[in-house]
Amino acid sequence: MPTLTVQNLPAAPVSVPPGATLLAALQAAGHDWMHACGAKGRCTTCRLHVLHGADLLTPHSDAELRYRALGRLLPTERLTCQTRLPAGDVIGRVPEPVQFPHVTYLNDQP
């Protein structure tokens, strides 16, 4: 099964079931992950900075392309509510602006 490793969260890699979004997989694994719009692709609070394996993810959604054009989503970032991982292993980080104050993150180094 494909996996997502979030480097600045103190947990094992998250298994991503077929067809599941990264957000759904993270929540199923017990991670508290920001998603202010309720996972509808209407904000950028669920973003993930992808460090490795970006080419393994599904193509950018219309919402992601719109936010990139507006400068609200960096080229290295994906919306976890819009993105799936059909195969392989991806490594990413929670960007500082969308980190929860009540979650303990590991040293935030690139």
Side-chain angles (χ1 to χ4, degrees):
M1 186 173 302
T3 62
L4 170 62
T5 300
V6 182
Q7 283 187 339
N8 55 348
L9 285 179
V14 173
S15 294
V16 182
T21 64
L22 298 181
L23 178 61
L26 287 159
Q27 290 177 319
H31 292 289
D32 197 3
W33 197 274
M34 178 124 20
H35 59 289
C37 72
K40 295 178 175 41
R42 295 183 181 150
C43 70
T44 60
T45 61
C46 72
R47 66 187 182 263
L48 173 77
H49 178 119
V50 180
L51 300 170
H52 176 72
D55 56 320
L56 301 172
L57 300 168
T58 51
H60 289 85
S61 68
D62 289 341
E64 289 176 302
L65 293 173
R66 183 173 57 252
Y67 286 121
R68 281 184 70 185
L70 293 171
R72 293 185 54 198
L73 191 65
L74 297 174
T76 57
E77 294 178 330
R78 296 297 303 268
L79 298 180
T80 61
C81 73
Q82 302 288 300
T83 307
R84 291 171 171 73
L85 177 59
D89 301 312
V90 169
I91 299 171
R93 298 181 71 73
V94 183
E96 191 173 336
V98 295
Q99 292 179 0
F100 276 126
H102 65 277
V103 173
T104 301
Y105 297 91
L106 301 175
N107 189 6
D108 204 16
Q109 299 175 27

